[in-house]
Amino acid sequence: MIKLNLEAKNNSQQRILEYLQENVSEVLAEKINNGTPFTKDDKQLINKKTLDGFMKYASDEARKQAEKGVNSACVEDSVVFGWAIHYFEEDSIEGTLYNLDGTEYKPVVKASTKKTTAPIRTTTKAKQEDSGIKKTSFFDLFRNKKMWIKMQKTNRKSGLIRKTMWEKTYLSKII
């Protein structure tokens, strides 16, 4: 039986560990014990996988197999053991990443530049009705083409707006 550097924290993990120790090849045991080379953010790292990581992976795989709307699934032991071999064998599955000096890799978080915007104020229909003034929304103008055109002509005459290219092309087709 091959010795693996994995720590089982509960009975389920212990069963997986025992299966792996009895069935892994020497090459896979080497990957499990020493990790595999991994590149992330243009950095050379060591990818080491744990039984905790496998349990999360197995849970995600079981969820994929469950019927829609169901919160649980029954999976046969042989399938879970197959997932264990695949999880530890597949280099593209990311476990815990370590720098080449043995320290755990912490990705650099880039500072984001968030632009703050002023809150949009809306008036409710109740307030509009109380004031006795019927307010027209921007979308109401598109529903009522005649009102839109009349408003545009009034605003143009008063010098408030100029005719845009959109208006020149779109409104000329409507009229």
Side-chain angles (χ1 to χ4, degrees):
M1 182 160 63
I2 297 174
K3 175 75 175 129
L4 299 176
N5 295 335
L6 293 173
E7 179 187 343
K9 296 181 181 174
N10 57 42
N11 290 338
S12 299
Q13 289 183 4
Q14 185 61 39
R15 287 186 65 201
I16 300 295
L17 178 58
E18 289 169 3
Y19 176 83
L20 289 171
Q21 287 178 331
E22 292 173 10
N23 293 288
V24 297
S25 65
E26 289 183 24
V27 174
L28 183 52
E30 181 72 22
K31 281 182 167 184
I32 292 171
N33 290 334
N34 299 321
T36 57
F38 197 84
T39 303
K40 185 170 184 171
D41 301 331
D42 295 327
K43 251 186 134 174
Q44 291 299 319
L45 304 167
I46 304 291
N47 184 18
K48 292 187 179 180
K49 298 176 185 171
T50 63
L51 287 171
D52 284 333
F54 167 69
M55 296 307 277
K56 182 182 178 329
Y57 173 81
S59 176
D60 291 342
E61 290 298 307
R63 194 171 288 116
K64 290 177 191 174
Q65 286 192 354
E67 294 178 26
K68 287 192 175 198
V70 177
N71 292 333
S72 61
C74 294
V75 181
E76 292 188 28
D77 290 352
S78 60
V79 173
V80 176
F81 293 143
W83 289 342
I85 295 290
H86 176 74
Y87 174 79
F88 287 102
E89 196 171 64
E90 184 62 45
D91 292 339
S92 64
I93 298 173
E94 188 176 316
T96 305
L97 300 177
Y98 293 91
N99 293 309
L100 296 177
D101 64 2
T103 60
E104 190 171 341
Y105 172 71
K106 303 286 183 196
V108 178
V109 179
K110 295 179 182 176
S112 64
T113 55
K114 290 187 177 180
K115 295 180 180 179
T116 56
T117 58
I120 299 171
R121 294 184 184 191
T122 59
T123 50
T124 62
K125 288 190 176 190
K127 281 186 180 178
Q128 290 176 1
E129 290 171 5
D130 288 345
S131 65
I133 301 172
K134 169 123 173 56
K135 295 187 179 180
T136 304
S137 75
F138 180 74
F139 298 107
D140 289 336
L141 295 175
F142 281 109
R143 286 188 205 108
N144 188 344
K145 294 176 190 173
K146 289 181 183 177
M147 180 186 273
W148 170 259
I149 293 167
K150 182 179 177 184
M151 187 189 82
Q152 292 298 315
K153 287 179 182 177
T154 305
N155 288 339
R156 230 176 268 110
K157 285 179 185 173
S158 63
L160 292 175
I161 60 169
R162 293 185 307 237
K163 201 173 205 181
T164 64
M165 285 302 291
W166 178 82
E167 289 174 303
K168 288 177 186 175
T169 55
Y170 181 75
L171 290 179
S172 63
K173 292 177 185 174
I174 295 174
I175 301 174

